[in-house]
Amino acid sequence: MPNWGGGAKCGACDKTVYHAEEIQCNGRSFHKTCFHCMACRKALDSTTVAAHESEIYCKVCYGRRYGPKGIGYGQGAGCLSTDTGEHLGLQPQSPKAARSATTSNPSKFTAKFGESEKCPRCGKSVYAAEKVMGGGKPWHKTCFRCAICGKSLESTNVTDKDGELYCKVCYAKNFGPTGIGFGGLTQQVEKKE
């Protein structure tokens, strides 16, 4: 029977899809407004869609539904799981025991997998995406602030002293020269009468 309506049927709502509003995925046509995840209803585009047979999903929902399963994959692809496996009769290991069992040579592990350096301000790991260098050390972008006034720092206004970062103004006030001409208070000279 000929299709007199002028377009293909939408894979989501089964209504006619005209060329101006058509998105094609996996050989099927969709309205732009119907092109969303069948699980969470998030709007999709060509970079976020994952198709499975006649269904379309965002990549997160697709991973949860069709991705690998088991310990470490409990939340689907791209997510961390806090499932310890206790419901399966497995005994959880302490993080130190697990790490020592997997790394016989820590320096080789660090070189191979790039264990990150620690931020001097907060002590947490600094990864490449958030790394700012100052005073020869890696800092988080959010920790890269003056130790006195808290002002966000840049390479043009940062100074370091004893492993701590300061803006130029605070550094000058606290560690710079003092006296007449340097912003310090001067003592008043008593007039002789």
Side-chain angles (χ1 to χ4, degrees), residues 1-172:
M1 186 168 183
N3 185 0
W4 299 107
K9 297 289 182 187
C10 176
C13 70
D14 233 13
K15 294 181 181 175
T16 302
V17 180
Y18 296 99
H19 184 69
E21 58 184 359
E22 180 181 34
I23 294 178
Q24 288 192 344
C25 176
N26 215 23
R28 299 177 62 211
S29 297
F30 294 88
H31 293 105
K32 288 180 184 176
T33 56
C34 293
F35 197 62
H36 46 76
C37 177
M38 293 186 164
C40 70
R41 313 295 290 168
K42 184 169 99 176
L44 300 172
D45 61 30
S46 63
T47 61
T48 59
V49 68
H52 183 79
E53 296 175 357
S54 63
E55 301 171 332
I56 56 172
Y57 298 96
C58 66
K59 290 186 178 183
V60 173
C61 291
Y62 179 86
R64 285 185 182 141
R65 192 166 288 206
Y66 301 108
K69 303 284 189 272
I71 298 172
Y73 296 104
Q75 298 297 317
C79 298
L80 294 176
S81 173
T82 56
D83 182 7
T84 60
E86 288 177 334
H87 65 283
L88 300 173
L90 300 174
Q91 297 297 323
Q93 293 181 349
S94 68
K96 288 182 182 177
R99 174 167 274 186
S100 64
T102 58
T103 58
S104 58
N105 187 349
S107 61
K108 190 181 283 186
F109 176 81
T110 302
K112 185 173 183 180
F113 295 104
E115 192 170 304
S116 60
E117 301 168 284
K118 303 290 183 193
C119 174
R121 174 107 356 113
C122 69
K124 295 181 180 176
S125 295
V126 181
Y127 299 100
E130 59 189 355
K131 185 176 183 179
V132 178
M133 292 299 289
K137 298 176 185 172
W139 300 78
H140 292 109
K141 289 178 185 177
T142 54
C143 294
F144 198 64
R145 298 181 168 278
C146 176
I148 295 172
C149 70
K151 179 180 174 185
S152 185
L153 299 171
E154 297 175 3
S155 62
T156 57
N157 67 350
V158 66
T159 54
D160 68 306
K161 178 175 174 65
D162 299 329
E164 198 54 76
L165 300 179
Y166 303 95
C167 66
K168 288 190 176 188
V169 174
C170 289
Y171 183 86

